[in-house]
Amino acid sequence: MTIDQLLDCLHTVPAPDNIEEWLRSNAFLSTPHGAIEASYQQAIYDLLTALGVLSAQTGEATSPMAYYFVQSLACTIRDNTFSADSWQGVPEDDCRGAGARLVRLLEETRLTCTPEPTPLRIVRASTAVIKAQRGGQDVYLMQYDAKARQFQPLGGKQELTDASSEAALTRELCEELALDGLIAGRDFAIHPLALNVRVDEISASIQVVTRYYHSLYHLTDIRFPLHNDEITRWLTGAEMTAGRTIDGYAISSLFEDYIPGMLPSLDYSLKTSLP
């Protein structure tokens, strides 16, 4: 089927009685381009019915807003608003982020309006609290995630090849800090703070409902180098509480969400203060 035939199909959606008259009179919304195959039209109608846009009993739009949605969809197609490039960015991007914004809106709606939303992915994540003192202030080592557009704790997803969440965290530390062969118990001590905390939320990086099982660990007695740069930074307690760095970057609320108020009470990960 062609784009014109798809538009014809959308324009055949019956309007509810209380639709505004100006919309009925817009000629460009109802200019036919040819015959519509019945099975094709039924497939489009079935999709719109499944979304609650059309009534299963009458086949017409369920409300004026539902009808506006159909016509907005038709105009979006007619105006070539979306292209392959529209699906390349993140929500904050302008036209390149249009697809990501649409996906996030749908996923936020599922998360808000569905008692048990089906997760598109399931992630077991292991993350580390690495705490030090610098200039009389408590600071925490965090790393910037370009996809999520925020600073996050070191750590990441548990892979199938990881024997445990502790093993996943050790592997992630090696990858994120460009180190080799770290061994828990020899190069650092690891203390569980919260294990397998389940939460369904929108992934900050790929915008879909994700079921996370978070395991948070506190590292002490660290005996490996901790470099820092623009990507890997020591952030102050004030920045962590504010959820934003002094130069305006977002900071993950993971610690405050799952171990609220605990950070100040934790021991330092390093035996000496940072310069």
Side-chain angles (χ1 to χ4, degrees), residues 231-270:
I231 300 300
T232 306
R233 289 194 199 175
W234 291 102
L235 303 182
T236 67
E239 288 176 302
M240 299 285 286
T241 299
R244 192 160 295 275
T245 67
I246 57 173
D247 52 349
Y249 290 97
I251 302 173
S252 167
S253 62
L254 186 67
F255 292 154
E256 189 57 35
D257 289 343
Y258 304 118
I259 50 171
M262 188 181 292
L263 292 183
S265 68
L266 296 176
D267 293 335
Y268 295 113
S269 302
L270 305 177

Side-chain angles (χ1 to χ4, degrees), residues 195-211:
L195 299 178
N196 294 317
V197 179
R198 176 188 151 178
V199 59
D200 292 348
E201 61 186 8
I202 305 294
S203 164
S205 57
I206 62 173
Q207 318 307 323
V208 301
V209 172
T210 301
R211 178 161 296 163

Side-chain angles (χ1 to χ4, degrees), residues 133-248:
Q133 190 174 53
R134 183 179 62 190
Q137 293 189 86
D138 290 348
V139 290
Y140 304 88
L141 193 64
M142 305 281 278
Q143 194 168 72
Y144 188 73
D145 185 315
K147 289 184 178 180
R149 296 200 170 187
Q150 64 182 4
F151 277 92
Q152 301 185 153
L154 272 70
K157 298 188 293 293
Q158 182 175 338
E159 306 291 351
L160 294 177
T161 53
D162 294 320
S164 64
S165 58
E166 292 89 344
L169 179 57
T170 302
R171 175 184 53 76
E172 288 284 349
L173 288 171
C174 289
E175 293 175 1
E176 294 176 346
L177 297 174
L179 300 170
D180 291 321
L182 290 182
I183 298 176
R186 183 194 71 184
D187 300 307
F188 59 93
I190 184 168
H191 312 278
L193 298 174
L195 299 178
N196 294 317
V197 179
R198 176 188 151 178
V199 59
D200 292 348
E201 61 186 8
I202 305 294
S203 164
S205 57
I206 62 173
Q207 318 307 323
V208 301
V209 172
T210 301
R211 178 161 296 163
Y212 289 99
Y213 292 91
H214 288 293
S215 291
L216 281 66
Y217 296 91
H218 177 212
L219 302 192
T220 62
D221 301 314
I222 287 178
R223 294 179 289 278
F224 58 84
L226 291 172
H227 76 278
N228 62 285
D229 51 31
E230 283 302 303
I231 300 300
T232 306
R233 289 194 199 175
W234 291 102
L235 303 182
T236 67
E239 288 176 302
M240 299 285 286
T241 299
R244 192 160 295 275
T245 67
I246 57 173
D247 52 349

Side-chain angles (χ1 to χ4, degrees), residues 112-127:
T112 301
C113 303
T114 306
E116 280 289 328
T118 303
L120 267 70
R121 61 203 283 259
I122 297 176
V123 171
R124 294 187 179 276
S126 300
T127 51

Side-chain angles (χ1 to χ4, degrees), residues 14-33:
D17 292 337
N18 54 345
I19 198 73
E20 293 184 17
E21 187 59 35
W22 63 266
L23 194 56
R24 297 180 188 275
S25 62
N26 274 343
F28 74 86
L29 293 180
S30 57
T31 303
H33 296 89

